[in-house]
Amino acid sequence: MSRLSERPERAVVGEQLPHESAALHVTGHALYTDDLVQRTPRVLHAHPVCSPHAHAHVTDLRVGPAYGVAGVVRVLTAADVPGVNDAGVKNDEPLFPDEVMFVGHAVCWVLGETAEAARLGAAAVEVDYEPLPSLVGLREAIAAHSFQGGQPTVERGDVEGGISGSAHVFSGVTEMAGQEHFYLETHCSLAQVDEAGQVFVQSSTQHPTETQEIVAHVLGVPSHAVTVQCLRMGGGFGGKEMQPHGFAAVAALGSTLTGRPVRLRLSRQQDMTMTGKRHGFHAEWRVGFDAEGRLQALDATLTSDGGWSLDLSEPVLARALCHVDNAYWIPHVRVHGRVARTHKTSQTAFRGFGGPQGMLVIEDVLGRCAPLLGLDPGELRRRNFYVDGQDTPYGMPVRHAHRLVNAWDQLHASAEVARRQQEVAAFNAEHPHTKRGLAVTPVKFGISFNFTAFNQAGALVHVYKDGSVLVNHGGTEMGQGLHTKMIQVAATALGVPLERVRLAPTRTDKVPNTSATAASSGADLNGGAVKDACDQILERLEQVRAGRDLGWEELVREAYFARVQLWAAGFYRTEGLHWDSTVMRGHPFKYFAYGVAAAEVEVEGFTGGYTTRRVDIVHDVGDSLSPLVDLGQIEGGFVQGAGWLTLEDLRWDESDGAGRGRLTTQAASTYKLPAFSEMPAVFNVSVLEDAHEDGVVYGSKAVGEPPLMLAFSVREALRQAVTAFAPGVSRLAPLAPQPPVSVELASPATPEAVWWALEQARAGGQQPVAGAPGVEPEQPDADRPLLRPRSEHAGVVPAGQQSREGD
């Protein structure tokens, strides 16, 4: 066991503690960025002037009328930028554009004495546009060959040989929509300049260092002239990894020009219409199975909807390609990736970072192909699990693959899956208009940034003369409990009570050059850095102790008078990583997190309405640093995943009318989020037993993103329930060979989408087409993607239900 992962006997890590700010949260005393405005005098408020066009040239911008509005102080335009007029890291996101690329694109910002004055001033600005052709839907962009960035490929083996040698071959199209982050706290920045010209920005950001860099290059100053602090965020989910930078830069520019603090906070409608979301994906695939249902080959092209600029679309796509296999061994693989350019918000990071989209492809493939293979979907999944000694398509060994089997078996036993399958079958036999479905799905998710350089972290630990401890690290707190874990790590490493440790807000002038708090790696990276700093201090203190029996406070006091350094800067880098993005091969992840979920749903046949009756989860968190925090992450991740897959239906106006490109679901009234009514009546969560992870801080594992993909079980349970409406499906023997009824289910599987799937199931599943068995399927058309088998039972040829991008 490594020194990093070894736990002392009386460790604070592993204790079931509440979130360190829980009391502040529930009493309303927790401060967020916008709360600081009330404590800051003479604040100016910023409001955007947004484009009504999806794509247009700005031919004239007249700001004069805004100055006629009482309370307007300044209008910020491109002419005011002393540095670089760009808010991104790819030099493709002008802060003040002369060509607008989506509805809601800000062309300038108005500063006012009040938020209302700024709003009225923005309404007074006159802008002339020359409308240009636009691409709104992902299919439109694919048809127009509108792509941006690299087009990588993950490849192993002989795909064509694997396909031709397969007993069963199917092809199809899988589409999935994006997702709005809908964090409780919208984007917010508060900037001010001191007497020396130093810029201080309070920002709701997951990546303070990159916010600092963008603000600095917009202002044309070095990074040391800008300090960014993040107190805490009211949610982030990836949406505050890249997107805050431009807003912070606008606030900083306004403060620099006026000499007054500037507050920029988006309303909910502005946040939804101006900021990026989870990438929607379109995937075309061919898959081959042997006679026993084992995967032989997969050939797929994944196209993500990147929106108007690259943002993080390339690494999101890379992670999607690296997770198409999910938990399954596929000998021959070829997966192409492309990023489409559309005239919508620039889509960005979202919990899972492309992994969920890639994994959904193979889960959809297995869910649709299982009945055509005559296999229970659960058995098909289990039959194709990785085993120890096998590698991923990008060449990384799948370590601890047996843990996935352990989790699968643990869940089947604890959730009594076999017994409940019989109960579901009996219920379905007795209820012609209501059916239930029970599905079990696995998760294998790689932990670390794909970009190796990001896998580093720093920390600063101070021990004061009275023995109290102050910790500052490079991670940000967005409600996920990172600060709670870091306090526990420091208390454990130093051997002091929890109450002796306090954590300071994240600031770029305390810990520099930090990576984003993302990729589920916040505790791994920053925990390693905090422990390193504590170990340095302890090593010095042990020299002072010299074998004597001294209490903590006495030891610290003696060390001070002996002129021994009582603070340390810690550093951690994840070892063993390497990645070549040019060939998409290497060892990009420290380890894999595993999990299994079983979901039971009930579908009403007249409307497609449904409820989730029960969910059981077994998840691999290693040796948990903070069990209550991890439990919350597992439950929250699952619910957010279920929202993406079943409820949250982003829609843009794709008509040719005046509203083309407008986000039509721009508020909670039109964008349905998971609520208490969507929670399962029974929700059981347990952790995988005997799952210590060596080489990670105190043997723990990441827990932020992997649980989101456990929600695949809900989507597959819906498919099972819908299939039960098909004529001729045996109700009392669910594991017996069934008529080949393959049902395509849209994502999100809203009640409307489920109703259409029901219509398909009642018609006997996907419909036969002309053509002899063994003939390769024709290319699916844009309106009706087809899943067509080339196998012995090719007489049943499933035809896909229409699934439009954005529906």
Side-chain angles (χ1 to χ4, degrees):
M1 184 181 295
S2 68
R3 182 181 177 186
L4 178 63
S5 60
E6 185 177 0
R7 291 191 179 190
E9 288 185 6
R10 292 184 296 275
V12 180
V13 293
E15 291 186 10
Q16 299 200 37
L17 300 175
H19 190 286
E20 49 89 23
S21 293
L24 299 178
H25 290 157
V26 298
T27 59
H29 287 93
L31 291 178
Y32 295 86
T33 299
D34 203 44
D35 295 320
L36 303 175
V37 173
Q38 304 303 320
R39 303 175 175 214
T40 308
R42 303 182 65 242
V43 172
L44 296 176
H45 303 260
H47 197 283
V49 176
C50 294
S51 166
H53 302 284
H55 189 201
H57 281 305
V58 177
T59 58
D60 195 17
L61 177 63
R62 297 180 294 278
V63 302
Y67 287 102
V69 175
V72 169
V73 174
R74 183 81 185 232
V75 181
L76 304 179
T77 69
D80 295 313
V81 177
V84 180
N85 181 29
D86 195 89
V89 296
K90 296 285 187 177
N91 200 35
D92 64 345
E93 297 183 39
L95 188 61
F96 300 97
D98 57 14
E99 181 182 351
V100 293
M101 300 294 285
F102 65 96
V103 174
H105 204 167
V107 297
C108 65
W109 290 79
V110 176
L111 307 182
E113 296 285 355
T114 64
E116 180 66 5
R119 185 188 70 81
L120 294 175
V125 172
E126 298 174 355
V127 189
D128 292 338
Y129 299 95
E130 178 190 349
L132 298 171
S134 61
L135 298 168
V136 178
L138 179 53
R139 289 191 187 182
E140 284 184 81
I142 294 172
H145 299 282
S146 175
F147 303 113
Q148 56 185 327
Q151 297 190 13
T153 297
V154 171
E155 188 166 9
R156 174 179 64 194
D158 178 8
V159 170
E160 295 304 329
I163 291 286
S164 63
S166 294
H168 310 286
V169 175
F170 307 94
S171 69
V173 171
T174 298
E175 294 180 303
M176 62 210 77
Q179 185 179 18
E180 168 62 38
H181 299 89
F182 219 99
Y183 23 65
L184 292 179
E185 176 204 28
T186 59
H187 279 279
C188 185
S189 289
L190 175 63
Q192 49 193 317
V193 180
D194 67 14
E195 75 282 357
Q198 295 283 312
V199 179
F200 182 53
V201 182
Q202 301 270 9
S203 178
S204 182
T205 176
Q206 292 176 236
H207 200 345
T209 288
E210 200 164 78
T211 301
Q212 174 194 34
E213 292 170 350
I214 296 299
V215 170
H217 88 223
V218 168
L219 297 181
V221 300
S223 291
H224 73 217
V226 177
T227 298
V228 174
Q229 174 171 289
C230 178
L231 284 177
R232 58 171 58 86
M233 286 168 279
F237 312 119
K240 295 175 180 176
E241 184 174 347
M242 283 280 292
Q243 303 276 306
H245 309 335
F247 303 126
V250 169
L253 176 62
S255 184
T256 301
L257 294 176
T258 65
R260 294 173 60 178
V262 172
R263 169 236 198 189
L264 189 161
R265 183 183 68 83
L266 300 184
S267 67
R268 178 61 63 187
Q269 184 176 18
Q270 289 170 338
D271 201 286
M272 294 187 73
T273 56
M274 295 176 68
T275 68
K277 307 165 194 331
R278 186 186 295 280
H279 293 71
F281 268 68
H282 174 283
E284 298 181 15
W285 47 265
R286 292 185 300 155
V287 64
F289 297 86
D290 68 12
E292 284 74 43
R294 289 184 174 84
L295 286 159
Q296 296 300 300
L298 175 68
D299 186 14
T301 296
L302 274 61
T303 307
S304 73
D305 186 345
W308 74 278
S309 69
L310 274 173
D311 194 274
L312 290 167
S313 294
E314 289 177 307
V316 165
L317 178 65
R319 184 169 280 261
L321 299 185
C322 289
H323 282 78
V324 165
D325 58 326
N326 191 14
Y328 312 110
W329 164 251
I330 312 172
H332 307 285
V333 180
R334 182 174 59 216
V335 187
H336 299 293
R338 306 178 298 191
V339 179
R341 185 194 301 275
T342 57
H343 294 101
K344 291 189 283 198
T345 54
S346 184
Q347 315 315 2
T348 190
F350 199 129
R351 198 175 196 170
F353 202 79
Q357 294 96 314
M359 293 159 71
L360 181 57
V361 174
I362 192 64
E363 292 301 332
D364 194 53
V365 167
L366 296 179
R368 290 161 68 176
C369 293
L372 302 178
L373 294 168
L375 291 172
D376 172 72
E379 171 57 27
L380 179 61
R381 290 181 166 88
R382 174 63 184 85
R383 191 171 294 186
N384 283 284
F385 278 179
Y386 276 108
V387 298
D388 289 325
Q390 292 177 333
D391 293 349
T392 64
Y394 46 90
M396 177 175 168
V398 180
R399 202 161 55 91
H400 298 152
H402 62 276
R403 290 187 181 178
L404 186 59
V405 177
N406 294 346
W408 185 269
D409 292 344
Q410 183 178 326
L411 179 127
H412 274 72
S414 63
E416 301 180 287
V417 171
R419 176 186 63 78
R420 289 168 55 209
Q421 283 179 324
Q422 295 297 329
E423 291 178 354
V424 166
F427 177 90
N428 290 346
E430 297 172 2
H431 297 81
H433 304 303
T434 305
K435 306 294 181 184
R436 291 176 181 173
L438 173 62
V440 184
T441 58
V443 167
K444 174 186 69 67
F445 190 81
I447 303 298
S448 291
F449 289 96
N450 272 68
F451 186 54
T452 303
F454 287 166
N455 294 287
Q456 59 175 296
L460 186 62
V461 176
H462 293 172
V463 176
Y464 293 97
K465 287 187 291 182
D466 65 353
S468 62
V469 180
L470 179 67
V471 176
N472 195 295
H473 64 89
T476 56
E477 176 63 46
M478 61 197 90
Q480 85 278 34
L482 176 60
H483 284 354
T484 307
K485 291 184 174 182
M486 294 305 96
I487 292 172
Q488 290 180 264
V489 167
T492 299
L494 294 173
V496 300
L498 192 74
E499 60 269 16
R500 299 295 278 159
V501 183
R502 185 175 77 84
L503 199 137
T506 309
R507 287 175 62 119
T508 57
D509 60 353
K510 297 297 186 293
V511 179
N513 309 323
T514 59
S515 297
T517 305
S520 300
S521 60
D524 289 1
L525 296 177
N526 294 285
V530 169
K531 187 175 185 301
D532 178 55
C534 293
D535 287 347
Q536 293 177 47
I537 295 170
L538 276 182
E539 186 174 348
R540 300 180 199 132
L541 290 176
E542 286 305 314
Q543 295 175 10
V544 175
R545 186 191 301 274
R548 293 175 294 168
D549 184 15
L550 299 175
W552 172 253
E553 285 79 7
E554 187 179 2
L555 177 60
V556 169
R557 186 172 183 275
E558 287 211 15
Y560 170 75
F561 283 108
R563 296 183 295 178
V564 172
Q565 182 179 335
L566 290 173
W567 72 92
F571 182 75
Y572 175 79
R573 52 174 285 174
T574 310
E575 299 294 340
L577 305 182
H578 58 90
W579 179 247
D580 186 346
S581 60
T582 62
V583 294
M584 296 291 285
R585 292 192 66 79
H587 195 296
F589 307 122
K590 178 67 174 177
Y591 56 83
F592 293 106
Y594 300 103
V596 178
E600 182 179 334
V601 302
E602 183 172 300
V603 174
E604 188 269 302
F606 294 108
T607 66
Y610 52 82
T611 57
T612 303
R613 304 186 70 249
R614 175 173 171 176
V615 170
D616 294 85
I617 291 171
V618 173
H619 196 70
D620 173 17
V621 298
D623 287 340
S624 175
L625 292 177
S626 194
L628 284 181
V629 167
D630 286 349
L631 175 64
Q633 286 294 288
I634 294 169
E635 292 176 344
F638 175 88
V639 171
Q640 192 168 53
W644 170 52
L645 293 167
T646 66
L647 294 171
E648 300 180 44
D649 195 3
L650 286 169
R651 298 200 180 204
W652 278 268
D653 186 342
E654 297 185 24
S655 72
D656 293 327
R660 179 173 172 79
R662 184 177 68 91
L663 179 67
T664 61
T665 51
Q666 52 185 254
S669 58
T670 51
Y671 184 76
K672 185 169 176 57
L673 295 159
F676 286 119
S677 58
E678 279 75 45
M679 293 290 289
V682 179
F683 198 175
N684 301 316
V685 177
S686 58
V687 298
L688 180 64
E689 301 165 355
D690 301 320
H692 176 90
E693 188 65 28
D694 195 28
V696 185
V697 62
Y698 292 127
S700 63
K701 271 189 170 182
V703 72
E705 293 170 299
L708 185 137
M709 284 71 78
L710 295 168
F712 292 147
S713 59
V714 176
R715 184 171 185 268
E716 291 305 309
L718 287 172
R719 193 197 308 272
Q720 292 292 90
V722 168
T723 302
F725 283 89
V729 174
S730 173
R731 313 299 184 208
L732 295 177
L735 303 184
Q738 300 290 320
V741 178
S742 178
V743 173
E744 184 179 342
L745 189 60
S747 183
T750 62
E752 179 186 3
V754 170
W755 188 86
W756 284 110
L758 287 170
E759 290 293 285
Q760 181 189 136
R762 290 176 177 128
Q766 300 190 359
Q767 299 301 302
V769 296
V775 177
E776 287 288 0
E778 65 190 28
Q779 181 66 32
D781 65 42
D783 291 323
R784 296 187 63 82
L786 303 179
L787 168 64
R788 298 183 175 181
R790 192 193 70 205
S791 60
E792 292 302 316
H793 49 260
V796 176
V797 183
Q801 174 62 45
Q802 184 173 349
S803 176
R804 299 184 304 277
E805 165 67 10
D807 285 4

